[in-house]
Structure formats: C-alpha cells, structure tokens
Amino acid sequence: MTAPLLIVNAEVDGISGIDVRIEQGRVAAVGPDLPRERADLLDAKGGALIPGLTDHHLHLHAMAADAASTRCGPPAVRSADDLRAALAAATGDAAGWVRGVGYSESVAGDLDAVALDRICADRPVRIQHRSGAMWMLNSAAVAATGLASGDHPGVERDGAGIPTGRVWRADDWLRTRLPTAKPPSLTAIGARLAGFGITSVTDATPDLLPESQQAIVAATMSGALPQRVHLLGAPLTGPDVASPRLTVGPYKIVIADSGLPELPALADTIAAAHAVGRPVAVHCVSREALLILLVALDDVGTIPGDRIEHGALVPRETLTRIRALGLRIVTQPGFLCDRGDDYLRDVEPVDLPDLYRCRSLVDSGIPLALSSDAPYGPLDPWRVMAAAVDRRARTGAVVGAGERLTAAEALDGYLAPATDPGGAPRRVAVGAAADLVLLHGPLADVLATPSADAVRRTWTHGDALGR
Ligand SMILES: [Zn+2]
C-alpha cells in the first residue's frame, strides 16, 4: 500500500487553493489547508484536479492491433501509388502477413482480391475498411485463410461462388483462420489512455470471444491495463466476470450499415437481453438503422440503460420518441474532424443537419455521452471535445454549426460514470474512487483550447499513471 498522497493548491469545482488527500485508492479529504503530516506532497500549482475521463465507446484489442498496422487511408495514404508504397514498406508479422487499416474508397476505389493483387501480391495482405465493417484480402491471403471453404455469411462471393476477397463483419471468424490468433497485449494502450487522462473505458466490441474477454479480464487484474473496463460484448450467458475493475454493461447489438436485420429478429435479440436484465447498446449509423431500432423498441419496450451507439444520423422528428423511450446516445464528434470533409462531399444534403447531433440532443433532454470509437475514430478525448465545440473538418469547413456544445458540456460527456453515460458528471469528493486527472492550469484556461498537453498526471485507484 502506497503512502497517502496530498495534492496541494489545486483547483477543484472551480475553487482554487484546495488540497485533496488520497488514501487507499479513495479521496479521503477535500478542503483548504489540510494537514500535511504523513503524506507525500504534490503541488498542483493552481492546476485543476478533475475526475478521470471515461471513454464510453472504444475497442481495446482493435486499438492494440491497429497500433501494429500499416495506415492504408488518408491522410497518410491518398492514392493507389501511396498504398503500393505503404504495403511494400510494411514489416509484416512473424508469419509474413501485412495488416492494413483505415482504408477509404478515395484511395483506390472498391478493393477486392484482384484489385489488391495489382497493388501487392507477393505476401498475404488484409486491409480493414475504415468503418471497421469489412476486410479486403489479396489472393495470397484468400488462399492462406481457405476462404473458398469458409462457411461464414460475411464471406462475399461472386456469381460463380468464388470469394471476392471481401469479408464483412466477421472479425472473430477471420481471426480463427489467421496464423496469429492470440489477443494482443494491452499494456501500451493502457499507457496511452492514461496520457490522455482516461481512467475508465467501455469496450464496445460485440460478441467478445471467450479468449478476448479473458485477456481483458486478465489485463485489468494484472494492472497491465490500469483503467476500469465496462464490457458491452460479454455474452448473455456465461461466467460472471465482474470485479471492482471490470463491469458488464448493456448488451451490444450491431445493426449493420448495409443490409438491415429483420425486425422480428432484432426485437427478439433485444427482448432476450432484457430478459436477463441487460439493457442493450445498439450500433446505429444510418437513418434506416435508427428507425428500425425505434420500431423494435416500441414493440418490446425499453429498460433503463438502453443506449444508441454512434447515432451518426438522427432525424429531427425522432428526437421526441428517443426521449420518450428513455434512450441515451453515445456519440463521436471526433469523426467530424477526421472525416468532416468527406461527409460534406458524400452525405445527402438533406441528411447533413442530422449528422452527429449533440446540441439538439441535449436540448431535447436526451442523455448524451462522448467517446472515440477508437481505433476507428480519434482517441484523444481533448481533440474530440474540441471537435464537439468547433465541429470543424480538416479543411476548416464547419459541419452543423447549430449542434455545437460548449467545452464544459463536452467535458461532461466524458465525466459521467461508464455505468451511466450521459448521466451526472462525477466529482472530486470524499469517498469517491481516486480516479483523477491533474491539469497544468485552471479548468477554464484548459477548456478555452482543449488539448491533451494540459494533462499533467493521471491516477486510477489512487495509483499514478504515465505523465
Ligand atoms: Zn465501435
């Protein structure tokens, strides 16, 4: 057990000159001029001490795999020639495979095995679409995975039944056919999260395989991943994995962006989760997906905690219904800074006002939480907050000026507990877990230009992490 820590001269809840005592993983005292005996001292120098941030939607193992992958989309790669050079330069894994990520059609159009072979054919290559929904394999990879005999419905086939090299929403299945099936280490991800002040994450990966779930549980227990974890992909039946550092959340359901589900099947899945007391967290990117979800929920009813993931397109006329159903929305304005220019070019003009709504959700009384969807969206919460405030794409163009949040509201989107996204922000208060972030300056200064550079130190369970 480490010695008690006394952080002196901090700003807490907007009041400067506050001391905070941390003992046994909890906030033990908050106030001016706390006694300094028998404690390690840390001078906050007037910096704000705030609760640790929760990223309400990300994908831990995908983040770790992404870190070891070749960039195949903008801004690093913008053309077929760029892609050829990037794949040629890739080291490849121990088995000689190259894993690419972030592909966008703007690089070299729709890729199948034949098209990818023209870019790289000499070793097995798999490239993930930036949506995370599809993998594109070259012929060497198609052969190595035995795709022709694959029985997964996500294996796309041509008229003659030959695999095209495109595999939809079949990550777990595909992984079983790859040479390296072990989940990657989360140690580096934990350190990266701590550097941003993130002390708690919600892993939104659907239908976690037992070995993936076990790896996450083990990483939280060993401290390799110091953050608390809330799991949406835990199966509806299975061993109870909850611990002080790991909780099981709503049940993740994906309504694919292409090919909508049958309404009865969706309603049955929701009802099955509700029957065992699990709310649902439903991936809704398109207008159609949201509308079908609302019909299903009208049918089977909602329970507290049901949530919409992404809400990329929320038609105005659905706001009242979403509010009446008691749904919360976990969204990612960070996509606006990463992909805003694409949206302005590709999204139907009539849909643009509905894109990644924030302000109108708050005004409608719909609980709103922010998140990254990393590795598919930018992880840095301070960048996501800035995007929620200015809604600027890379070129500076603004997407939906009327949907802007204030920086304080955006921060609140990260301060609610993982178990209550969009709920009341946590506070630095006596008895609270010592999941804390010390900033370099007062909160108002930091929020004037949100940046991860403002993070001075992060604690989870009272233990200092990173910076
Ligand atoms: Zn996601």
Side-chain angles (χ1 to χ4, degrees), residues 57-59 204-206 252 283 309-310 332 373-374 376:
H57 180 130
L58 51 64
H59 303 274
T205 311
K252 177 74 179 286
H283 168 108
E309 306 301 299
H310 311 299
Q332 297 92 24
D373 199 21
Y376 312 111

Side-chain angles (χ1 to χ4, degrees), residues 2 4 21 25 30-31 37 49 53 59 106 113 147 149 156 241 245 257 266 271 286 335 366-367 405 451 460-462:
T2 48
R21 188 178 175 92
V30 179
E37 304 84 68
L49 186 70
L53 274 47
H59 303 274
S106 64
L147 220 53
S149 66
E156 186 182 279
V241 293
R245 298 185 177 205
D257 313 337
L266 176 62
S286 66
F335 282 126
I366 297 167
L405 296 180
S451 157
T460 50
H461 328 285

